[in-house]
Amino acid sequence: MPITRSEVESALARVMLPDGKSILAHDLIRALTIEGDVVRFVIEAPNAQMAAQMAPLRDAAEKVVQDLEGVASVTAALTAHGPAPKTAAPSLKIGGHPKPQAGPTKPSGVQRILAIGSGKGGVGKSTVSSNLAVALARAGRKVGLLDADIYGPSQPRMMGVNKRPASPDGKTIIPLHAHGVTLMSIGFMMEEGKAVVWRGPMLMGALQQMLGQVEWGELDVLLVDLPPGTGDVQLTLCTKSELSGAIVVSTPQDVALIDARKAIDMFNTLKTPVLGLIENMSLFVCPDCGSEHQIFGHGGVAAESAKIGVPLLGSLPIDLETRLAGDEGTPIAAGDGPMAQAYAKIAQGLIDGGMA
């Protein structure tokens, strides 16, 4: 015999609350449906606090109905009347003096940390960082990208993401994701257009937080987009984290190479191996006639890499589409075409060389 509504209600009338009245008498049953031998209903608690305590009552209601002859399955949902009370979001503050640590550390689950630096600004280091991260992700690697350029974070714009990361406890930071890359930037934590006016210790503390408090997960490689120069952030990263090595980006002209040599010397002084150099803006190909123009000279970085005995990882032309893609939040390496292939070639070289 098929189960009837009255049989189900009679069973539910035997489920009592502490005051001696049944859940049926308290009018807590909603949306009771019977489809063949399947029974579903909702127990609606007066408020969220009571709902949190009524799980045993729901289990008892399911059991008395399940015991009825002809019932194959029972589903009882527990809900509350009215919205749950709102709790304040945990307060997460970035910056402040760094915490003492015994020695260099590495985030749990991260296999390698690669710093991407330059001796001076304006050589396209952040563009190279974002595109190389995307190219490595497209090659099948699990990649993280930490924007450590505290004063001028550009990865939120270049990667097309700009929202505040979650923090369930005010300490742990849940990173963001875009184009297959796990992301963290000080730019996510600050109002757009607002300057970061911090002294060195606060920079060091912020970098320590973004390395140690972010839930990076399992990564083959974490790329760190460093600020230009040889300052506090570089010193902190090289001495407080287990760096696998550094990649230096430069344009070909002498004035850029002068500063690139300083960056290389800094990494050598801090016992961080320089894994290779990347020559950016090596030439310009006219989109109308196809002629090549060496705006910033050509081959200077290749000569420097040969001089110091490290690989030239790649040469990248100056390219309008790369700039437009970065401004629009979709790195050129995420698509197809010559520039995407150029970044894919550099990424594959890092993978084949065991660096990523």
Side-chain angles (χ1 to χ4, degrees), residues 16-74:
M16 299 296 178
L17 272 70
D19 63 1
K21 296 175 65 175
S22 73
I23 57 175
L24 208 63
H26 274 287
D27 193 27
L28 301 183
I29 302 301
R30 299 285 185 272
L32 173 58
T33 61
I34 303 170
E35 297 177 1
D37 56 3
V38 177
V39 179
R40 299 183 182 89
F41 58 90
V42 174
I43 301 175
E44 185 179 71
N47 53 58
Q49 290 85 353
M50 288 190 65
Q53 303 171 12
M54 291 176 64
L57 195 75
R58 177 199 55 204
D59 295 342
E62 283 187 340
K63 186 176 187 309
V64 298
V65 176
Q66 184 69 66
D67 289 343
L68 293 174
E69 186 177 351
V71 175
S73 69
V74 181

Side-chain angles (χ1 to χ4, degrees), residues 67-126:
D67 289 343
L68 293 174
E69 186 177 351
V71 175
S73 69
V74 181
T75 301
L78 185 58
T79 186
H81 181 70
K86 293 183 179 179
T87 56
S91 175
L92 175 65
K93 295 181 179 179
I94 291 288
H97 286 247
K99 304 293 188 295
Q101 60 184 66
T105 62
K106 184 167 60 177
S108 176
V110 176
Q111 299 300 311
R112 306 169 190 83
I113 304 176
L114 296 184
I116 300 182
S118 64
K120 68 190 298 294
V123 300
K125 167 188 53 59
S126 293

Side-chain angles (χ1 to χ4, degrees), residues 259-270:
D259 293 320
R261 292 185 188 105
K262 294 176 183 177
I264 294 167
D265 182 65
M266 175 199 68
F267 286 124
N268 289 334
T269 300
L270 297 173

Side-chain angles (χ1 to χ4, degrees), residues 89-253:
S91 175
L92 175 65
K93 295 181 179 179
I94 291 288
H97 286 247
K99 304 293 188 295
Q101 60 184 66
T105 62
K106 184 167 60 177
S108 176
V110 176
Q111 299 300 311
R112 306 169 190 83
I113 304 176
L114 296 184
I116 300 182
S118 64
K120 68 190 298 294
V123 300
K125 167 188 53 59
S126 293
T127 298
V128 169
S129 298
S130 59
N131 280 285
L132 188 55
V134 172
L136 285 166
R138 294 188 75 184
R141 310 306 283 170
K142 296 177 182 176
V143 185
L145 176 60
L146 171 56
D147 185 359
D149 194 346
I150 307 293
Y151 290 133
S154 53
Q155 295 303 343
R157 168 61 67 87
M158 290 185 173
M159 296 295 284
V161 179
N162 196 1
K163 62 181 181 179
R164 191 176 179 86
S167 176
D169 55 6
K171 297 179 182 179
T172 303
I173 305 170
I174 308 302
L176 303 179
H177 300 270
H179 311 294
V181 178
T182 302
L183 296 170
M184 185 58 201
S185 169
I186 194 69
F188 297 146
M189 314 301 294
M190 310 296 291
E191 181 182 342
E192 189 174 5
K194 188 174 180 62
V196 177
V197 187
W198 289 349
R199 294 188 185 276
M202 292 187 70
L203 299 179
M204 296 160 65
L207 181 61
Q208 188 183 56
Q209 283 180 277
M210 291 193 294
L211 275 171
Q213 292 180 215
V214 171
E215 291 287 347
W216 288 108
E218 298 293 326
L219 296 180
D220 294 310
V221 60
L222 173 62
L223 302 182
V224 182
D225 178 16
L226 290 172
T230 57
D232 290 320
V233 171
Q234 287 86 343
L235 181 62
T236 300
L237 183 71
C238 292
T239 58
K240 299 297 185 182
S241 64
E242 296 179 15
L243 271 182
S244 301
I247 295 171
V248 176
V249 178
S250 179
T251 48
Q253 77 269 36

Side-chain angles (χ1 to χ4, degrees), residues 302-327:
E304 187 66 24
S305 67
K307 178 181 176 182
I308 64 176
V310 301
L312 176 67
L313 300 174
S315 296
L316 299 164
I318 187 169
D319 176 67
L320 176 61
E321 293 303 319
T322 300
R323 194 272 296 173
L324 292 174
D327 285 348

